[in-house]
Amino acid sequence: MIKVDLHSHSTISDGLMTPSELVRHAASQGVQVLALTDHDDVAGIDEARAAAVDSAITLIAGTEISVTWRNRTLHILGLRIDPQHPALQQGLARIRESRFGRAEGIASELEKIGIQGSLEGARQFASEGIIGRTHFARFLIANGHAKDMKTVFKRYLIKGKPGYVPHLWASLEEALSWILAAGGQPVIAHPGRYDLGRTLLDDLFNEFKLLGGVGIEVVSGSHHPEQYGQFADLAHKHGLLSSRGSDYHGPGHSYMSMGRLPDLPSQCQPVWHDWKEVRALAA
Ligand code: AMP
Ligand code: MN
Ligand code: MN
Ligand code: MN
């Protein structure tokens, strides 16, 4: 099977590599088709595309949109988008702006437990793109509040912990409308991470499909191997295509190294089955 990785992050969001470093790294690990899917941003696509030409790797323009659905945060990938599309650009800009207020909220919550200067600290770990919890996590680790990413999220940044601030992201309907307007394919990122029971998952997949959603991540860096088969079955049941992505954030900050993802289970119809840029490679 062609080595396709449809989920990755650069310094534009919370990855550790610049878009061109990321593309070169992916190519060096044998990835043939890479989607750059920064959180709520498409600012890295041009640079990634240029680097892909030099590295002989196929770059898919993407983004990972933060969504609030039934009081939970979900991530929806938009694959093969036109990054210039105004509706998509305006929607993403709105989410990015709302992240600043949330970041101030996180900093003031952390101040209450005696951690000063986290907003400036987190900003230093963020480049020109979004600010998010990962940047706070890096600041907290650098200042000795936790030893690694796993611990810092568990101790400070997840629901119920001192630095967690609830936030209203885009609606599912908005995210899909922007992706579809931009000519892209909506895919639910890491559905196994949301802790949804079977009924809620069915509700989500039904609603997603009605809104124009086409696929779910089956093989994801943040799925356990036993979840691959479960989500392959659910994709089949709902008539959804299957995707595959490492969710790479950089060395030591990822669930999965690049180029190490297993193939999709054989019963899956890949989301890229009719993409001409992938067909050209298979030929
Ligand atoms: P945000 O969109 O600002 O809420 O940040 C979400 C990002 O935080 C995710 O994309 C991951 O990169 C990171 N993240 C969330 N939970 C964890 C965790 N338990 N361990 C490590 N990173 C996490
Ligand atoms: Mn992330
Ligand atoms: Mn995600
Ligand atoms: Mn991601």
Side-chain angles (χ1 to χ4, degrees):
M1 197 184 255
I2 296 179
K3 277 202 165 187
V4 177
D5 185 339
L6 299 179
H7 189 157
S8 70
H9 297 273
S10 76
T11 46
I12 293 296
S13 61
D14 55 1
L16 290 171
M17 293 179 175
T18 65
S20 27
E21 286 166 350
L22 179 78
V23 166
R24 285 196 291 270
H25 177 66
S28 77
Q29 299 306 305
V31 174
Q32 294 167 278
V33 179
L34 176 74
L36 176 63
T37 55
D38 277 310
H39 298 285
D40 309 317
D41 212 331
V42 291
I45 303 288
D46 284 350
E47 183 187 320
R49 211 171 244 157
V53 173
D54 294 338
S55 307
I57 182 171
T58 300
L59 195 277
I60 303 294
T63 184
E64 181 176 17
I65 304 184
S66 310
V67 160
T68 300
W69 181 78
R70 301 203 188 170
N71 235 353
R72 293 154 204 273
T73 300
L74 308 178
H75 287 168
I76 305 295
L77 298 167
L79 300 176
R80 275 178 122 209
I81 47 163
D82 166 11
Q84 310 298 339
H85 193 279
L88 178 69
Q89 289 229 339
Q90 284 159 23
L92 297 183
R94 191 189 91 202
I95 305 181
R96 288 197 300 274
E97 270 154 41
S98 82
R99 279 178 171 276
F100 292 115
R102 173 196 187 231
E104 287 172 352
I106 293 175
S108 67
E109 289 303 311
L110 290 173
E111 236 174 83
K112 288 183 192 158
I113 57 160
I115 299 173
Q116 313 292 332
S118 69
L119 184 56
E120 296 67 33
R123 273 211 187 107
Q124 284 178 7
F125 287 94
S127 62
E128 73 271 31
I130 64 137
I131 183 155
R133 283 185 293 163
T134 310
H135 307 110
F136 281 90
R138 289 181 186 141
F139 162 80
L140 290 167
I141 293 169
N143 285 273
H145 296 286
K147 66 175 193 317
D148 58 22
M149 290 300 272
K150 205 177 156 181
T151 318
V152 76
F153 269 88
K154 223 166 134 179
R155 199 176 286 168
Y156 296 103
L157 297 169
I158 58 171
K159 212 178 241 177
K161 298 299 165 167
Y164 182 80
V165 172
H167 192 67
L168 189 62
W169 302 105
S171 69
L172 187 64
E173 190 170 3
E174 286 172 322
L176 267 74
S177 75
W178 303 334
I179 294 166
L180 294 170
Q185 291 181 276
V187 168
I188 300 176
H190 42 64
R193 263 198 22 209
Y194 306 128
D195 208 17
L196 301 169
R198 180 52 79 90
T199 310
L200 273 174
L201 272 178
D202 279 338
D203 281 4
L204 171 63
F205 292 169
N206 287 332
E207 199 175 313
F208 175 71
K209 221 184 149 183
L210 278 174
L211 292 169
V214 304
I216 64 173
E217 273 187 334
V218 167
V219 171
S220 155
S222 50
H223 280 170
H224 302 294
E226 67 269 23
Q227 291 177 309
Y228 303 160
Q230 290 166 16
F231 284 104
D233 291 345
L234 275 175
H236 180 74
K237 174 182 159 194
H238 285 271
L240 290 162
L241 302 173
S242 299
S243 190
R244 173 179 188 262
S246 60
D247 205 357
Y248 190 71
H249 282 72
H253 286 243
S254 303
Y255 302 98
M256 172 80 75
S257 304
M258 211 159 230
R260 299 273 183 284
L261 278 179
D263 286 342
L264 285 175
S266 56
Q267 74 266 36
C268 291
Q269 173 84 301
V271 67
W272 60 85
H273 74 102
D274 61 353
W275 294 1
K276 62 180 186 317
E277 55 276 54
V278 177
R279 279 209 179 145
L281 291 171

